Amino acid sequence: MLFHEDEEGHVIIGEAVLQLALAGKDITVFSLLNELNHMAEDEISVSRQMDISDARNWLLEYAVKGDAEQSVPHLQDSAGPNEEKH
């Protein structure tokens, strides 16, 4: 199954985004890749490590294109449940 069709992949990216947001860090492809690396180091489940690896590989497509320091697509456009969309 392709990563973008996999709900677990979206959950893992979401976990990384949440960790960065709670820490007050910028959310970029580069910061997400670093956070996913930290998540993988602490993970004991082989299946979850594979899901994290798939998420990293998906994000690397953006890093290879030179967009690693740019914000992750659609994150700036999405308003949270308590925020107004601009």
Side-chain angles (χ1 to χ4, degrees):
M1 180 179 294
L2 296 174
F3 174 78
H4 67 276
E5 296 174 352
D6 181 11
E7 275 188 43
E8 187 62 30
H10 296 291
V11 169
I12 289 171
I13 295 285
E15 288 176 27
V17 168
L18 181 60
Q19 289 299 322
L20 291 170
L22 290 174
K25 297 180 180 177
D26 288 335
I27 300 170
T28 65
V29 173
F30 183 72
S31 65
L32 281 170
L33 287 168
N34 282 335
E35 185 61 33
L36 289 168
N37 285 336
H38 292 299
M39 289 170 60
E41 290 171 359
D42 296 335
E43 187 56 55
I44 58 172
S45 165
V46 173
S47 174
R48 188 158 155 87
Q49 284 180 343
M50 289 174 53
D51 289 337
I52 293 169
S53 177
D54 288 344
R56 285 189 303 211
N57 290 335
W58 182 79
L59 283 170
L60 279 171
E61 290 179 30
Y62 292 100
V64 169
K65 294 176 185 174
D67 298 334
E69 289 301 320
Q70 294 182 8
S71 298
V72 177
H74 309 295
L75 286 180
Q76 269 52 38
D77 296 336
S78 301
N82 298 322
E83 300 172 3
E84 290 183 32
K85 191 170 181 176
H86 299 285

